[in-house]
Amino acid sequence: MPPPRGGADVVQPPSSSSLSPEEAAAQWEANQEYIAHCNDTYGVPGLIEFAAGYGGLPKAVLQHPSGARAELYLHGSTVTSWRHADGREMLHLRQGNTFDGREPISGGIQLCWPQYGSGPLQRHGFLQNLHWSVVETAWRQPDDGQQGEQLRPGPEGGIAVERPEDIKGLEQAVAEGHDLRPIISLYADTDSDWAEQWPFQFEALYTVCLMAPDPPTLSDLEMVKRAHESPEERQQREEQEAAAAAAAARAAELAALEGEFPPMQPSVLRCVLQIHNSGDEPFTFTTGLRSHFVTRDMQSHGKYVNMLGLRGKYIMDYSQDPLNPGLTMQEPDLVRFGQLEPMDSVYLDCDPGGQVLLCPGTPAHFSIENKEGFCDIGVQHPTTVAPRESRHFVCVGPARVVRKVTLQPGEVWVGDASFTAHDEYWPLAPWEVEDPSLVPVALPLAGGAACLLSLLAGARPDDVVPAAISLLVFGFTCLAICWTARKQVPAAVRLLRMSADCMAANPALTRVAVALCVAALAAVAPLLWFFDGTMRSGSLVANPSRLGSPACRDSDGKPVPCCEFMPDGWVVAYAIIPLPFLILWTLTAAAQARKFVISGAVTQWYFAPAGAEGATKGTTLRSLRHAFGPQIGTLCYAGAVTVVAQYVTALADSLRRRGGLLGCLLAHPLHWAAAAVQELTKFAVIVSAITGESLRDSGRRSLDLLRRNALEAFTSAYWLAPWTVCLTALLFSAGWGALAAAATGLLKAALELGGSHTQLTWNALWAFGGLSAGSCLVVCCFLGSVLLEVLDACFVCWALDRDSSAVSKPEVHSAFEAVPVQPLQPATGVAVQQPGGGLAYGAAPARAAAAGARAAAPLAASGPARDEEAAQQLRPLLSGAGELSPALELSAA
Ligand SMILES: O=P(O)(O)OC[C@H]1O[C@@H](O)[C@H](O)[C@@H](O)[C@@H]1O
């Protein structure tokens, strides 16, 4: 294979084999420069652009005019994302990626070479570890039937790069509806780091193209007919074709006028891998494109997740012993994934022309086609990942495993395959949709309807009509809310699911939250008892409204009580004013302590290095020690601020009710100010759990953090999360209450049928149902509040990550992806080290403080910043990272 176009001039992307902060900072700079270079040299605005991905790594973003979009990281040449025009993500990016430019990126479409699966080399080979450089990009319109050829760079100079002369030309082409296909080619060759393990010389070229399906090719018979047609026949055929095309266009126009749109085009990803033996010795390899497809949750919809097109194929089964596979044959039509059992197989002889279909459990499907070079299909359902994750993806991809390839010096091997994502063919029925926002709508409406139906069965209208009306009103209100926020509901649900995953990973959080709640109640119990006692100290005095007259009547002659209870003077001074404040303060300080403990534990989990064993062990206790040790003052202060804000809210409420117009005008700003103070205090407590700073400093820091990250977030899915929790809690408890009442009702009916007399009245049944619903609501609200506190802590961790352009937990980032926030400017500046030794790339000067806070995150794991031990730990972490920010100087001192 000749060197790809631009061969000697290829600018290599920076490699990141170094670890020191200085080198990492330089690495960051170099990545930014390389991205700028790629945009200048290879970018095609609107079709192919380059950007910094997770960890600052360069990635290419391919956009098809249909709206489909793919992302390809240069590190390992890994396609990490492929979205359909309707926004559906089709590739699964695995959790726990470090994006450090050294470890392979796990997930998406991974290149396996020179070894597929297990063997003498690292599993799936080392091509996924290499730094690839961009050598060519192109965009083109379809030329019937020859796309395969055109994708490959050939000896005549490779891919013809038809770069647009100017943007206008490109826009015009897009406006005319041509299929502009973004194409990119990446190049890598022998890497010295791997030479010892694999001592051969090679060049690799990987071309990825995002496109719509090829126009149908002519059948052989049609070709023969056309070759023999006379000029008149040709003219007649062309006229017929033109008329048919015009009729189709008219029909589409009419359909669009009537609001019907033709279905979206399927999206195609074409991947071509070429390997050139550039050395003097032959070598042998196996290869594959290990593709992770997103599926519906297999726990609940496993029976719909399966593959077609493999019947009668031999299977090499590696699941028992990766080095000694078993040989079986696929007999049924369907390969089923639903059992959630580990699967690691290669289906042999899936030659060009045959398509393998993957049904991910939705009405859509993928087809995978080997075109050249690849002749097997690798199928995996890895169980090396967390079970919660493995329910959401399967790996199916072209491979060449059993018939190994031996390449003589100078020879080139070409592996060509395509993936097609077909449309969702029909909308899912409401009960099939996984989006739980339908539950709050469907349940009350169904309940209301059931109540009305029970009228037909003879129920008394007085008993059921009020319940039916309340349920229907509730259901329609939920429907209105869900409809208004329908675009944001799935994003809010994703946030809550992520937060629930975090709670599951830190099981001690809930226990500690319960313990803190009980402790707070125990602490206020004596105060309440004392308050009750003091309120009894006083004496009966004559009712002042009698105005001293012996008759118990007021000035208008109306009867009034003759005497009333007057507390002693000291009670007013010492109990009525300060005691309620003290009780409220104790309760709010305990609530702040809970927030602090949760945030501290979540932060330690969040910033723990990927895959760290026992990362959550002891974190909650450590956080608890910080809360009731050095940070107790901060928490009391936060509690007092919150109580004052609550008093102000109460004042605003009473002004609104009784203060007339002026009161109303004053009430609103007061109300907003109090709410803002409470919100800021909440975030200040979270930040202080991370950095160990005082409330004032962390308040400043969180204000800064929120200013940069929160405004859009609060106006989008984020605000919906508490509502979703409240609604779910209400519904669940209502359902629970109804169930309890129904069960008791059934018991009563059964007893009465059996002739026994029971004391249970229908009123008692309702009361029992109400009590069950009430207690369930308390439990649900408590768990919901912990869930929301975990979400807030994740939000702060994510914002700190964003500020320092790092990705500590990709799963949290992907949940927040749906929350629109302003894109950050590319960060430049210091590099800071993470707790596990990983590096976060630096922040621009305006963001230095936040990057500092993030760097201080390890303190949550070792002790608050004011601990001398922790301060010692902080200094070396930042020593290579330039100046300490003033806040950190303070806390490190
Ligand atoms: O998941 P498998 O097939 O057992 O492979 C183990 C790992 O092997 C590594 O080489 C890959 O980079 C990972 O993505 C992969 O998860």
Side-chain angles (χ1 to χ4, degrees):
M1 180 165 69
R5 289 238 310 219
D9 309 333
V10 171
V11 180
Q12 294 294 329
S15 95
S16 59
S17 51
S18 58
L19 265 180
S20 80
E22 293 86 351
E23 283 165 332
Q27 165 86 36
W28 172 266
E29 290 286 336
N31 273 336
Q32 298 303 315
E33 270 171 34
Y34 188 64
I35 291 166
H37 159 77
C38 288
N39 271 324
D40 287 348
T41 319
Y42 301 107
V44 183
L47 285 184
I48 305 171
E49 285 168 16
F50 296 86
Y54 291 145
L57 298 180
K59 69 177 179 188
V61 180
L62 310 185
Q63 313 217 44
H64 190 267
S66 67
R69 177 190 157 95
E71 289 186 5
L72 173 72
Y73 272 68
L74 270 46
H75 176 63
S77 219
T78 314
V79 180
T80 50
S81 163
W82 177 25
R83 278 182 197 274
H84 201 280
D86 61 9
R88 228 181 323 140
E89 175 60 71
M90 296 176 285
L91 296 180
H92 174 85
L93 190 58
R94 304 244 307 240
Q95 295 181 0
N97 278 309
T98 53
F99 294 101
D100 60 357
R102 289 177 301 132
E103 294 294 316
I105 299 172
S106 198
I109 302 181
Q110 272 174 275
L111 278 181
C112 305
W113 190 89
Q115 173 189 300
Y116 180 91
S118 301
L121 294 174
Q122 162 194 287
R123 192 162 158 83
H124 304 310
F126 58 80
L127 219 48
Q128 47 172 345
N129 294 66
L130 301 192
H131 295 274
W132 294 64
S133 24
V134 183
V135 286
E136 226 155 12
T137 52
W139 57 278
R140 70 174 61 241
Q141 299 167 25
D143 289 347
D144 286 2
Q146 292 182 26
Q147 284 78 10
E149 301 308 316
Q150 289 171 354
L151 284 183
R152 280 178 230 138
E156 283 81 39
I159 301 170
V161 178
E162 295 172 20
R163 299 173 75 53
E165 284 304 312
D166 57 38
I167 306 300
K168 197 163 158 270
L170 180 67
E171 275 173 354
Q172 191 184 340
V174 175
E176 285 168 8
H178 297 304
D179 180 15
L180 293 165
R181 315 170 153 197
I183 305 172
I184 184 167
S185 292
L186 304 185
Y187 174 81
D189 60 6
T190 317
D191 187 285
S192 53
D193 285 356
W194 296 90
E196 207 172 296
Q197 297 180 46
W198 208 76
F200 303 102
Q201 300 288 313
F202 71 93
E203 286 179 311
L205 193 75
Y206 188 45
T207 301
V208 175
C209 171
L210 184 62
M211 56 202 230
D214 291 341
T217 47
L218 297 176
S219 66
D220 290 350
L221 181 62
E222 191 64 24
M223 299 267 272
V224 173
K225 270 198 204 157
R226 285 190 184 192
H228 289 93
E229 66 193 4
S230 64
E232 294 76 38
E233 282 170 335
R234 176 176 307 157
Q235 193 186 351
Q236 199 184 354
R237 179 179 52 79
E238 282 172 358
E239 278 169 11
Q240 279 171 0
E241 280 174 1
R250 182 76 192 127
E253 257 174 44
L254 284 177
L257 281 180
E258 284 169 17
E260 290 171 24
F261 292 95
M264 260 179 296
Q265 281 181 324
S267 174
V268 179
L269 202 60
R270 180 81 170 266
C271 302
V272 185
L273 174 65
Q274 295 178 87
I275 302 290
H276 172 220
N277 183 342
S278 53
D280 308 327
E281 286 175 63
F283 57 72
T284 299
F285 63 83
T286 54
T287 180
L289 304 180
R290 191 163 175 265
S291 318
H292 298 64
F293 287 101
V294 171
T295 65
R296 217 149 161 215
D297 187 348
M298 282 190 262
Q299 181 96 20
S300 48
H301 291 83
K303 67 176 172 193
Y304 304 113
V305 182
N306 42 50
M307 285 176 66
L308 265 171
L310 292 171
R311 184 167 180 209
K313 304 284 180 206
Y314 280 111
I315 310 171
M316 301 290 271
D317 181 358
Y318 296 84
S319 58
Q320 302 302 322
D321 181 351
L323 295 177
N324 299 297
L327 184 69
T328 53
M329 182 180 267
Q330 176 68 25
E331 278 167 11
D333 280 338
L334 294 183
V335 176
R336 296 178 185 280
F337 291 97
Q339 286 81 13
L340 283 175
E341 273 164 15
M343 202 187 274
D344 185 359
S345 307
V346 171
Y347 288 75
L348 311 191
D349 298 332
C350 305
D351 287 331
Q355 283 190 358
V356 172
L357 304 186
L358 167 66
C359 308
T362 65
H365 76 254
F366 299 101
S367 57
I368 296 119
E369 194 183 340
N370 284 341
K371 289 186 175 287
E372 188 184 335
F374 295 116
C375 53
D376 304 326
I377 293 283
V379 178
Q380 289 170 333
H381 185 218
T383 43
T384 44
V385 286
R388 287 175 81 90
E389 191 190 345
S390 72
R391 281 161 32 188
H392 297 280
F393 76 93
V394 293
C395 294
V396 178
R400 175 79 182 245
V401 181
V402 181
R403 295 172 214 294
K404 294 183 180 171
V405 181
T406 298
L407 217 51
Q408 299 298 331
E411 277 184 353
V412 177
W413 175 84
V414 179
D416 183 354
S418 78
F419 303 92
T420 308
H422 294 268
D423 290 322
E424 300 268 346
Y425 296 114
W426 61 88
L428 288 175
W431 54 88
E432 287 180 314
V433 176
E434 277 175 37
D435 179 358
S437 62
L438 274 174
V439 176
V441 176
L443 276 187
L445 290 185
C451 286
L452 290 181
L453 282 179
S454 68
L455 282 176
L456 299 179
R460 274 184 32 215
D462 284 0
D463 288 343
V464 290
V465 170
I469 291 177
S470 328
L471 282 170
L472 290 175
V473 167
F474 184 60
F476 280 116
T477 313
C478 291
L479 184 67
I481 294 177
C482 289
W483 178 254
T484 321
R486 66 191 174 284
K487 296 237 170 77
Q488 292 163 356
V489 169
V493 170
R494 268 179 79 189
L495 287 178
L496 289 172
R497 201 174 275 166
M498 177 275 294
S499 179
D501 281 346
C502 173
M503 265 174 88
N506 297 276
L509 280 186
T510 321
R511 289 196 293 271
V512 170
V514 173
L516 281 175
C517 201
V518 173
L521 290 178
V524 294
L527 291 177
L528 283 171
W529 173 78
F530 184 56
F531 185 65
D532 183 56
T534 49
M535 292 308 286
R536 288 166 204 263
S537 306
S539 47
L540 284 178
V541 292
N543 189 345
S545 14
R546 281 163 56 188
L547 305 171
S549 80
C552 297
R553 290 181 181 277
D554 63 10
S555 52
D556 299 334
K558 284 192 196 137
V560 291
C562 298
C563 305
E564 70 171 30
F565 180 77
M566 176 64 77
D568 291 342
W570 68 270
V571 171
V572 178
Y574 292 100
I576 292 185
I577 297 172
L579 259 185
F581 184 87
L582 203 59
I583 293 170
L584 264 180
W585 189 10
T586 312
L587 288 175
T588 46
Q592 304 296 354
R594 193 180 83 168
K595 203 167 290 156
F596 183 98
V597 174
I598 290 177
S599 312
V602 168
T603 311
Q604 292 167 68
W605 164 80
Y606 185 90
F607 290 113
E613 288 289 319
T616 59
K617 255 202 184 135
T619 49
T620 314
L621 269 184
R622 197 178 292 135
S623 198
L624 200 64
R625 272 207 308 274
H626 296 168
F628 290 95
Q631 289 295 72
I632 186 84
T634 304
L635 297 179
C636 292
Y637 188 8
V641 172
T642 313
V643 177
V644 172
Q646 283 166 356
Y647 274 30
V648 172
T649 310
L651 177 72
D653 284 346
S654 85
L655 270 179
R656 195 171 38 224
R657 266 184 269 116
R658 300 198 207 120
L661 182 64
L662 187 65
C664 246
L665 286 178
L666 273 177
H668 279 98
L670 273 182
H671 211 287
W672 284 107
V677 167
Q678 289 195 53
E679 199 64 15
L680 187 62
T681 313
K682 174 175 95 179
F683 282 103
V685 167
I686 298 174
V687 170
S688 83
I690 298 174
T691 61
E693 289 173 327
S694 69
L695 191 71
R696 212 188 48 175
D697 291 341
S698 52
R700 272 202 209 119
R701 199 189 283 281
S702 46
L703 192 61
D704 188 34
L705 196 80
L706 292 176
R707 231 187 264 140
R708 269 174 290 108
N709 295 295
L711 283 182
E712 295 96 329
F714 284 143
T715 52
S716 68
Y718 202 69
W719 70 266
L720 209 58
W723 284 94
T724 315
V725 169
C726 282
L727 273 180
T728 315
L730 269 176
L731 273 167
F732 188 72
S733 349
W736 182 254
L739 209 69
T744 334
L746 279 179
L747 184 70
K748 171 182 160 70
L751 287 176
E752 283 175 359
L753 271 181
S756 350
H757 177 71
T758 79
Q759 299 286 325
L760 270 177
T761 61
W762 287 107
N763 278 347
L765 285 187
W766 284 120
F768 180 64
L771 206 66
S772 309
S775 41
C776 182
L777 190 64
V778 170
V779 174
C780 287
C781 286
F782 179 77
L783 289 177
S785 65
V786 175
L787 192 73
L788 291 173
E789 277 171 4
V790 169
L791 180 61
D792 283 337
C794 286
F795 175 80
V796 172
C797 294
W798 167 78
L800 288 173
D801 248 5
R802 250 171 65 85
D803 277 344
S804 50
S805 305
V807 178
S808 306
K809 280 265 181 290
E811 56 270 34
V812 174
H813 280 250
S814 79
F816 274 104
E817 218 171 60
V819 177
V821 278
Q822 271 174 14
L824 289 174
Q825 297 299 313
T828 48
V830 299
V832 289
Q833 195 161 7
Q834 297 182 25
L839 289 163
Y841 297 107
R847 286 185 264 123
R854 196 185 171 292
L859 299 180
S862 58
R866 290 182 206 134
D867 283 356
E868 184 47 31
E869 190 194 332
Q872 290 298 341
Q873 191 186 349
L874 176 64
R875 283 191 192 103
L877 284 182
L878 291 175
S879 59
E883 300 282 303
L884 279 178
S885 71
L888 286 169
E889 289 261 43
L890 203 80
S891 54

